[in-house]
Amino acid sequence: MKNITLFYLFLVLISLPSFCQISQTETKIITSKSVIPIVYRGHIYIQGAADSVPGNFVFDTGASNLYFDSLYYADGHFNYENITTAKLPGAGAKPQDVIVILDSVSFQFADYLYKTKIVPVLQLKPILGDFSDGIIGLEYFAESIFELNYSQEYVVLHQNKKSLNLIDYHKIELEKIGNRLFLPLSVQINPAIRIEGRFQLDFGSGGTVTMTSSIAKKYKLEEEIEEKVAYFTKYGGVGGESSSFEFLSTAVSLGAFVFDSVVMEFSVDKSGALASNEHLGLLGNGILDRFHVLIDFMEPALYLKSNKDYEKSFEFSRLGFGYVDRNQSMKAWIVTGLYKGSHAENSGLQIDDQIISVNEILVADINYRAQKDFFKNVNEVVMIVKRKGVIKQFQFQLEPVLD
């Protein structure tokens, strides 16, 4: 599945003029500090419960507060009375029209209980799949040190550094502007072009480095980068449609760490979050997951220590398409995006096709965890797809979209 650059999020409310303060949260630790299990599949999922309704919530530093998925909200039968409407911009071209809960909402994960107000309800499952029930943002961790172990899939919230051994960690100063975090990054696009400066630290991005369309235009990346592949998705984030080019950069320097031959992308969106000129781009989980991570939200600072995946190579997609798992709600995987000229596109596969089976295996029988390595040793696929009620079959080779 394509790693989605989810947001970043900010709200423009239609009917609430006093929305200059996004929300106020009250926090209570109801037991002792504990290890909090997560699921990591390009995005970081933390299990929680909103007013006793359980769900899986994406950790996103591009977001500020709590957000519900619309199906989670509908199926949870919440009984909120004070509701308004809003427009919610983000990655993609067009803001989403959403409802916003103004009543107090109790949200608990692990040992932490929060009360908050102003909770937007957005269409998240079409972007990330049925496993995603909502989002939790920066406000929930503002007074803590957030320890993240990607490889063993857990997080721990620390109140201070006293219990932490930071000897093997490399520190990178962060800059907090509003409700977002930024860090210095240097990207060697090719031997002739080097771009360095302020990038947003975005744990809501499943990619490596994403350059904004403003920076791509400034450095004429579409002209200067010869070897690249176009990707279009109908579900690029809260804002919907998004277009980009993927390419192999020469190097990415993050503090003392240098990665060679990094598969990354630059946006060509004309509007939305990835058209911003406030920063150069996003740093996402595709690089961060090579580290054991500590985020001191109070300082603020990022501490990194390489993990077992530090030296794994960066690879282009072999599928040639992006998809999300909608087995729970639609009994299928849904095609969300395509690489131009890929075997998948050339076979006739289209966005919104519903994949029923792959190589005679029903996708309903492939659980969420098994999907991680499902295509790893597969070189050719035969897919049964439903399109507008009609069953179709597609067959194509799996090869990197760019050599």
Side-chain angles (χ1 to χ4, degrees), residues 4-8 43 58 60 91 124 127-128 135 204-206 236-238:
I4 300 295
T5 298
L6 185 57
F7 297 99
Y8 45 86
H43 296 86
V58 181
D60 182 9
L124 184 61
I127 304 169
L128 292 178
I135 301 164
S205 169
V238 171

Side-chain angles (χ1 to χ4, degrees), residues 82-357:
N82 194 7
I83 291 174
T84 187
T85 58
K87 284 190 178 294
L88 187 64
K94 185 179 179 180
Q96 241 188 67
D97 293 317
V98 302
I99 65 172
V100 180
I101 301 162
L102 302 180
D103 287 335
S104 179
V105 176
S106 294
F107 180 70
Q108 180 182 342
F109 66 92
D111 302 334
Y112 299 86
L113 176 65
Y114 297 81
K115 286 191 177 294
T116 189
K117 293 183 178 180
I118 309 179
V119 178
V121 180
L122 55 102
Q123 295 182 48
L124 184 61
K125 293 183 188 294
I127 304 169
L128 292 178
D130 284 340
F131 196 69
S132 306
D133 295 312
I135 301 164
I136 50 176
L138 285 177
E139 288 190 18
Y140 291 84
F141 313 102
E143 302 299 323
S144 68
I145 300 171
F146 185 92
E147 178 184 357
L148 170 58
N149 189 312
Y150 284 97
S151 56
Q152 296 184 35
E153 295 190 313
Y154 70 81
V155 300
V156 179
L157 301 187
H158 302 271
Q159 300 305 308
N160 54 58
K161 297 190 184 79
K162 293 180 181 178
S163 61
L164 297 172
N165 182 356
L166 300 176
I167 293 176
D168 294 328
Y169 285 84
H170 178 80
K171 180 180 178 180
I172 299 173
E173 299 286 350
L174 298 176
E175 181 182 9
K176 186 174 183 181
I177 302 176
N179 286 308
R180 303 184 196 122
L181 295 172
F182 299 88
L183 77 171
L185 194 69
S186 177
V187 180
Q188 192 73 46
I189 299 293
N190 56 32
I193 301 175
R194 186 178 187 87
I195 300 174
E196 53 188 1
R198 177 195 292 164
F199 283 74
Q200 184 179 346
L201 180 67
D202 191 359
F203 286 86
S205 169
T208 55
V209 176
T210 303
M211 313 293 296
T212 67
S213 58
S214 298
I215 292 302
K217 183 177 179 179
K218 177 180 178 180
Y219 287 89
K220 300 180 180 179
L221 297 186
E222 195 166 349
E223 301 170 21
E224 296 292 338
I225 300 174
E226 295 182 3
E227 297 292 325
K228 58 186 180 296
V229 58
Y231 181 78
F232 172 77
T233 177
K234 186 178 174 181
Y235 304 98
V238 171
E241 295 181 355
S242 185
S243 299
S244 61
F245 283 93
E246 287 192 10
F247 65 99
L248 190 66
S249 66
T250 301
V252 172
S253 299
L254 172 61
F257 302 100
V258 179
F259 296 97
D260 297 323
S261 303
V262 178
V263 175
M264 54 179 288
E265 64 184 338
F266 64 86
S267 173
V268 291
D269 290 351
K270 291 182 171 58
S271 61
L274 292 178
S276 172
N277 57 12
E278 297 179 356
H279 54 86
L280 305 183
L282 310 176
L283 176 68
N285 292 316
I287 284 182
L288 293 166
D289 66 8
R290 288 161 166 76
F291 298 98
H292 194 102
V293 176
L294 295 171
I295 314 168
D296 186 337
F297 287 100
M298 296 172 287
E299 193 171 0
L302 179 69
Y303 294 83
L304 300 176
K305 179 174 68 173
S306 60
N307 65 18
K308 66 180 183 61
D309 293 322
Y310 181 76
E311 295 184 354
K312 70 180 180 181
S313 61
F314 297 90
E315 299 177 349
F316 286 100
S317 168
R318 294 174 64 247
L319 289 182
F321 67 96
Y323 75 93
V324 294
D325 180 352
R326 300 299 305 276
N327 266 318
Q328 184 177 342
S329 59
M330 301 176 68
K331 309 299 182 186
W333 293 350
I334 308 301
V335 178
T336 54
L338 287 163
Y339 289 87
K340 186 175 179 59
S342 66
H343 294 317
E345 184 188 58
N346 291 339
S347 76
L349 194 69
Q350 295 180 8
I351 292 174
D352 285 329
D353 280 349
Q354 301 179 22
I355 302 171
I356 307 301
S357 70

Side-chain angles (χ1 to χ4, degrees), residues 1 36-47 56 131 149-154 323 325 327 333 363-376:
M1 69 180 66
I36 305 169
I38 63 170
V39 172
Y40 174 60
R41 294 296 181 272
H43 296 86
I44 299 158
Y45 295 91
I46 299 175
Q47 189 173 42
N56 297 298
F131 196 69
N149 189 312
Y150 284 97
S151 56
Q152 296 184 35
E153 295 190 313
Y154 70 81
Y323 75 93
D325 180 352
N327 266 318
W333 293 350
V363 299
D365 294 333
I366 307 171
N367 66 37
Y368 190 79
R369 289 187 176 274
Q371 288 174 42
K372 180 180 180 181
D373 296 318
F374 180 77
F375 292 102
K376 187 174 182 179

Side-chain angles (χ1 to χ4, degrees), residues 364-388:
D365 294 333
I366 307 171
N367 66 37
Y368 190 79
R369 289 187 176 274
Q371 288 174 42
K372 180 180 180 181
D373 296 318
F374 180 77
F375 292 102
K376 187 174 182 179
N377 298 313
V378 176
N379 296 317
E380 184 178 36
V381 295
V382 178
M383 297 196 308
I384 304 301
V385 165
K386 183 187 292 185
R387 180 186 297 165
K388 296 180 179 178

